[in-house]
C-alpha cells in the first residue's frame, strides 16, 4: 500500500522526473569527461573542434538559452493547467500533471542545463589554471543535447496544443476510466445483503481525513480469518472520511460479544495495509471519478455562461462508452471469503443506478430544455440498454421516464417537445 501511494504521488509530481534527469546528466557528464580522443583518430572530426575558450562560451550560451526555454515551457504549462481548470474541470489537473510528454520535455531541458553548467567547472580550467586541453566529447554532448532540446520544444508545443483540445481531453478520461474497469474493477452481487453491525461490533477509526483511494483486502482478511472475526467496510472508494469516524466494523462470529483487545490491536495495525486515504481522489480504483470528470465537462458546457450543447453531447458520447462497459458487469457490494470459504469481509460498492445517475443526471437537469441534448441522452440510453441484463435495463427505463417528464415540463414549444416525446416513447417500447 505504501509503495502504491508513493508511485501515485510520483506519477503526478512535476519535479520527480526532472530531478532524476539532472542526476543522470551529471553522471553522464562525469563519465564522458574522462574519455579522451586521440587527434589522429578517425573519430576526431566528430568532436568539438574549437578552443577551450570557445567551449566555455558555448556552454555558457547553451545554459543561458535553456533557462529561457525552461521559463517558456513552464509558462505554457501553467496556462494549459489554468485553461483546463476553468474551461473543463478542476479535476482534470491531475491528468495534466501526470502527462508523460510534459514531464519528459521538462526533464530534457533541465538535464541540458545541468550538463552544460557542470561542464564549466572542468572545461579550460585545471587546478585553478587555464589550460587548452578539455574533454571535447563532453562539449560535443552539450551540443547534442541542445539539438535534442530544440526538437523537444517543437514537440512540446505540438503536444500541448493537442492536449488542451476538448476531444483529446475527453478521450483521455475515457481511456483512463476504461483502464480502471479492466485492471481493478471487482464485480459485486446486487442481491447481497450486507449485515448491520451487531451489538458486540467494534469500530476501527479512519487513520486520517481524506478520500478513500484504494482497498487491498487480502492481508486484512487473513487476520480476520486467523482471529475468526467478520468485518464490514463503511465507505466506498472515492468517499470522503473524517479521522476518527468508523471506517470498518468488526465483530465475533456470534455478534454478541466484542472481539478480544489483542485482536482489535492487530487489526488496527493491519488497517493501513487495507485502505489508503489521501487528500484527493484518484482514478486508481475509482470508476466514479472518471465519470465525474466527463459529467463536469458536460455540465459546464450547458451553463448559461457557455451555452455549448455540442460539447455536452460529445461528453455524453464518451460517457456512453463507459456506461456500456459498466452495463456488462454486475455491481453492488461483495463478500470476501477466506481460504476455507467463510465470508470474512463485506466491501461496499456503488450500484449501476448510482453510476448512471452520476453520468447523466446533471446533464438531464441542465439540458432537458435543449432538444439536441435530449436526443443525445435518448441515444445513449438506447445503446447502454443493449449491453446489460434486465436489472440494467430497468435502471435505464427509470432514467428515460424521468427525462421525458422533464421534457414535458421544460420544453414549451410543441414543435420541439412532441418529437422528443415520440422518440422517448419508442425507446421505452423497445426496452424488453
Amino acid at each position: 500500500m505504501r509503495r502504491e501511494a508513493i508511485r501515485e504521488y510520483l506519477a503526478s509530481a512535476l519535479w520527480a522526473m526532472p530531478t532524476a534527469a539532472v542526476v543522470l546528466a551529471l553522471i553522464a557528464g562525469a563519465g564522458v569527461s574522462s574519455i579522451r580522443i586521440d587527434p589522429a583518430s578517425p573519430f576526431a572530426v566528430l568532436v568539438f573542434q574549437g578552443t577551450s575558450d570557445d567551449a566555455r562560451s558555448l556552454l555558457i550560451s547553451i545554459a543561458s538559452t535553456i533557462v529561457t526555454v525552461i521559463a517558456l515551457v513552464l509558462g505554457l504549462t501553467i496556462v494549459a493547467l489554468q485553461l483546463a481548470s476553468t474551461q473543463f474541470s478542476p479535476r482534470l489537473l491531475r491528468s495534466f500533471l501526470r502527462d508523460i510528454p510534459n514531464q519528459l520535455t521538462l526533464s530534457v531541458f533541465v538535464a541540458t542545463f545541468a550538463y552544460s553548467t557542470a561542464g564549466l567547472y572542468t572545461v579550460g580550467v585545471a587546478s585553478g589554471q587555464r589550460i587548452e586541453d578539455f574533454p571535447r566529447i563532453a562539449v560535443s554532448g552539450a551540443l547534442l543535447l541542445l539539438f535534442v532540446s530544440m526538437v523537444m520544444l517543437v514537440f512540446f508545443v505540438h503536444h500541448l496544443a493537442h492536449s488542451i483540445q476538448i476531444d483529446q481531453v475527453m478521450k483521455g478520461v475515457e481511456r483512463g476510466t476504461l483502464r480502471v474497469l479492466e485492471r481493478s474493477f471487482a464485480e459485486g452481487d446486487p442481491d447481497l445483503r450486507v449485515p448491520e453491525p451487531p451489538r458486540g461490533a467494534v469500530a476501527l477509526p479512519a487513520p486520517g481525513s481524506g478520500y478513500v483511494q484504494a482497498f487491498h483486502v487480502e492481508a486484512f482478511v487473513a487476520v480476520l480469518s486467523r482471529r475468526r472475526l467478520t468485518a464490514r467496510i463503511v465507505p466506498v472508494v472515492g468517499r470522503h472520511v473524517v479521522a476518527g469516524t468508523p471506517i470498518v466494523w468488526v465483530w465475533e462470529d456470534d455478534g454478541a460479544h466484542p472481539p478480544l483487545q489483542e485482536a482489535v490491536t492487530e487489526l488496527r495495525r493491519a488497517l493501513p495495509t487495507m485502505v489508503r486515504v489521501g487528500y484527493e481522489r484518484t482514478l486508481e480504483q475509482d470508476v466514479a471519478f472518471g465519470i465525474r470528470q466527463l459529467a463536469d465537462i458536460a455540465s459546464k458546457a450547458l451553463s448559461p455562461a457557455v451555452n455549448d450543447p455540442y460539447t455536452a453531447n460529445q461528453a455524453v458520447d464518451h460517457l456512453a462508452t463507459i456506461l456500456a462497459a459498466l452495463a456488462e458487469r454486475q455491481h453492488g457490494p461483495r463478500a470476501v471469503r477466506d481460504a476455507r470459504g467463510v465470508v470474512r469481509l463485506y466491501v461496499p460498492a456503488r450500484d449501476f443506478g448510482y453510476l448512471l445517475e452520476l453520468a447523466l443526471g446533471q446533464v438531464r437537469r441542465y439540458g432537458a430544455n435543449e432538444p439536441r441534448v435530449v436526443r443525445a441522452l435518448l441515444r445513449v440510453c438506447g445503446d447502454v440498454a443493449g449491453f446489460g441484463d434486465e436489472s440494467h435495463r430497468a435502471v435505464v427505463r427509470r432514467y428515460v421516464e424521468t427525462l421525458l417528464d422533464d421534457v414535458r415540463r421544460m420544453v414549451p414549444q410543441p414543435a420541439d417537445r412532441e418529437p422528443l416525446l415520440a422518440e422517448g416513447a419508442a425507446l421505452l417500447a423497445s426496452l424488453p
Side-chain angles (χ1 to χ4, degrees):
M1 185 70 74
R2 183 173 300 175
R3 287 196 302 269
E4 288 188 357
I6 294 174
R7 185 166 60 247
E8 279 290 316
Y9 170 74
L10 292 179
S12 58
L14 203 56
W15 59 267
M17 188 180 293
T19 301
V22 169
V23 174
L24 291 177
L26 295 177
I27 294 174
V32 174
S33 297
S34 63
I35 302 175
R36 294 292 189 270
I37 294 292
D38 192 321
S41 172
F43 298 103
V45 296
L46 300 178
V47 298
F48 185 74
Q49 301 295 315
T51 65
S52 60
D53 290 336
D54 295 335
R56 288 183 65 84
S57 299
L58 176 65
L59 294 177
I60 293 173
S61 299
I62 292 176
S64 59
T65 300
I66 292 299
V67 167
T68 304
V69 173
I70 291 175
L72 173 64
V73 169
L74 291 177
L76 292 175
T77 302
I78 296 300
V79 170
L81 293 177
Q82 183 179 12
L83 177 62
S85 176
T86 57
Q87 188 71 20
F88 307 139
S89 170
R91 276 160 284 278
L92 292 171
L93 292 182
R94 182 177 175 85
S95 300
F96 281 91
L97 291 175
R98 294 168 65 93
D99 191 29
I100 296 299
N102 291 343
Q103 297 183 10
L104 182 61
T105 300
L106 186 58
S107 299
V108 171
F109 292 154
V110 298
T112 303
F113 173 80
Y115 184 96
S116 302
T117 305
L120 294 174
Y121 283 91
T122 58
V123 172
V125 177
S127 302
Q129 303 294 325
R130 299 186 64 82
I131 59 174
E132 290 300 322
D133 185 29
F134 63 93
R136 298 180 181 273
I137 293 184
V139 177
S140 302
L143 275 173
L144 178 62
L145 285 175
L146 177 63
F147 282 105
V148 172
S149 298
M150 294 302 102
V151 173
M152 291 300 296
L153 178 61
V154 176
F155 167 75
F156 172 76
V157 174
H158 165 81
H159 173 74
L160 189 65
H162 283 273
S163 65
I164 60 177
Q165 291 181 352
I166 186 62
D167 300 282
Q168 185 72 20
V169 171
M170 291 190 291
K171 187 62 178 178
V173 176
E174 176 194 317
R175 283 197 302 263
T177 307
L178 293 177
R179 194 178 304 118
V180 174
L181 281 174
E182 295 170 359
R183 295 180 179 179
S184 61
F185 182 82
E187 294 201 22
D189 183 1
D191 298 324
L192 176 66
R193 291 296 189 110
V194 179
E196 293 295 328
R199 182 184 55 179
V202 173
L204 301 182
S209 298
Y211 294 93
V212 177
Q213 296 177 342
F215 286 130
H216 294 285
V217 301
E218 295 80 7
F220 196 78
V221 170
V223 177
L224 292 172
S225 177
R226 187 168 60 254
R227 295 289 183 172
R228 298 188 181 279
L229 300 173
T230 305
R232 169 191 171 181
I233 298 175
V234 177
V236 297
V237 172
R239 184 69 55 80
H240 185 272
V241 296
V242 179
T245 58
I247 196 171
V248 177
W249 285 98
V250 183
W251 60 88
E252 294 276 1
D253 288 345
D254 59 7
H257 304 285
L260 297 176
Q261 184 57 43
E262 61 179 14
V264 174
T265 302
E266 185 177 2
L267 289 172
R268 286 178 183 269
R269 288 197 298 265
L271 187 62
T273 67
M274 183 192 69
V275 58
R276 186 172 76 242
V277 178
Y279 68 94
E280 63 179 345
R281 293 180 69 174
T282 66
L283 205 57
E284 183 180 354
Q285 294 183 2
D286 192 0
V287 176
F289 184 54
I291 295 176
R292 165 56 61 195
Q293 294 177 8
L294 289 172
D296 283 350
I297 295 175
S299 298
K300 283 204 171 188
L302 293 173
S303 65
V306 179
N307 284 327
D308 186 8
Y310 180 70
T311 297
N313 287 1
Q314 288 181 292
V316 168
D317 292 337
H318 289 282
L319 285 168
T321 304
I322 299 173
L323 290 173
L326 287 170
E328 295 179 329
R329 295 166 169 84
Q330 292 298 321
H331 303 268
R334 59 190 178 99
V336 182
R337 302 177 182 271
D338 61 11
R340 295 188 295 270
V342 179
V343 175
R344 292 297 177 187
L345 181 66
Y346 293 93
V347 183
R350 299 176 174 90
D351 57 19
F352 183 71
Y354 175 92
L355 295 174
L356 181 70
E357 175 63 22
L358 177 66
L360 305 179
Q362 286 182 325
V363 183
R364 171 183 60 81
R365 287 186 286 274
Y366 299 150
N369 59 345
E370 172 55 50
R372 291 182 181 274
V373 175
V374 174
R375 287 193 174 91
L377 292 174
L378 292 174
R379 182 180 67 250
V380 168
C381 290
D383 294 339
V384 173
F387 287 88
D389 55 19
E390 180 58 35
S391 62
H392 296 91
R393 286 191 288 272
V395 173
V396 174
R397 175 183 290 275
R398 288 195 298 270
Y399 177 85
V400 173
E401 291 172 348
T402 306
L403 175 62
L404 296 181
D405 288 341
D406 287 342
V407 170
R408 296 186 187 96
R409 179 170 51 87
M410 300 178 65
V411 180
Q413 181 58 253
D416 293 330
R417 182 179 63 249
E418 297 307 324
L420 297 177
L421 295 177
E423 186 174 344
L427 175 59
L428 290 175
S430 67
L431 295 178

